[in-house]
Amino acid sequence: MKKTADERKSVDAKRKAYFASLAPAVRSRMKTIRDLVRGIAPDAVEVYSYGIPGFKLDGKPLVWYAAFAYHTSLYPMTASIRKAHAAALEGYKMSTGTVQFPLDKPLPTALVKRLVKARLAELR
């Protein structure tokens, strides 16, 4: 589902405002996550819902990402993804549908890529 130019501007404005509200180091981390997703799924459409930025592919939710006081999160991480990548996810806090990456540790970009690719595979 293609967004109109006005819808894209609205999403861009909301994402930019969200990023601007973050501390510089957290903003950089969020930009990294965004860039990773865009690189893996260039046809995905950026969205802003639930108060956080995300991506949809073919009208279906691909991933959302968010920043919190002590971590960044990636959603949705389904039970099958969490099970398939259990060894790599060991040591990361998870709850239903999300994995948390602590801000006091480097962002595990290789793991983020793996998870986004797994989510992409689920949708296809």
Side-chain angles (χ1 to χ4, degrees):
M1 181 172 141
K2 293 277 186 188
K3 289 196 172 286
T4 67
D6 286 343
E7 288 171 325
R8 282 192 304 275
K9 285 180 186 175
S10 174
V11 168
D12 286 346
K14 289 175 183 175
R15 178 187 35 80
K16 287 177 182 175
Y18 180 85
F19 279 23
S21 73
L22 304 172
V26 179
R27 183 179 320 124
S28 175
R29 177 184 279 238
M30 292 291 285
K31 286 180 180 179
T32 298
I33 294 170
R34 177 178 181 251
D35 291 344
L36 291 172
V37 176
R38 290 177 71 189
I40 293 164
D43 295 332
V45 175
E46 289 193 78
V47 295
Y48 192 90
S49 58
Y50 306 105
I52 58 174
F55 291 87
K56 284 188 176 185
L57 185 64
D58 299 327
K60 297 176 186 169
L62 176 59
V63 292
W64 273 264
Y65 55 111
F68 297 91
Y70 301 104
H71 67 275
T72 52
S73 289
L74 192 61
Y75 314 82
M77 292 297 111
T78 61
S80 60
I81 289 175
R82 290 192 315 270
K83 184 177 179 182
H85 301 277
L89 290 167
E90 194 170 315
Y92 292 100
K93 187 174 180 182
M94 291 178 282
S95 61
T96 305
T98 186
V99 60
Q100 298 178 4
F101 303 110
L103 293 176
D104 63 352
K105 295 183 180 163
L107 180 68
T109 55
L111 178 57
V112 172
K113 287 179 187 178
R114 270 177 70 181
L115 295 173
V116 173
K117 286 177 182 177
R119 181 69 186 130
L120 184 62
E122 277 188 338
L123 291 180
R124 296 205 163 141

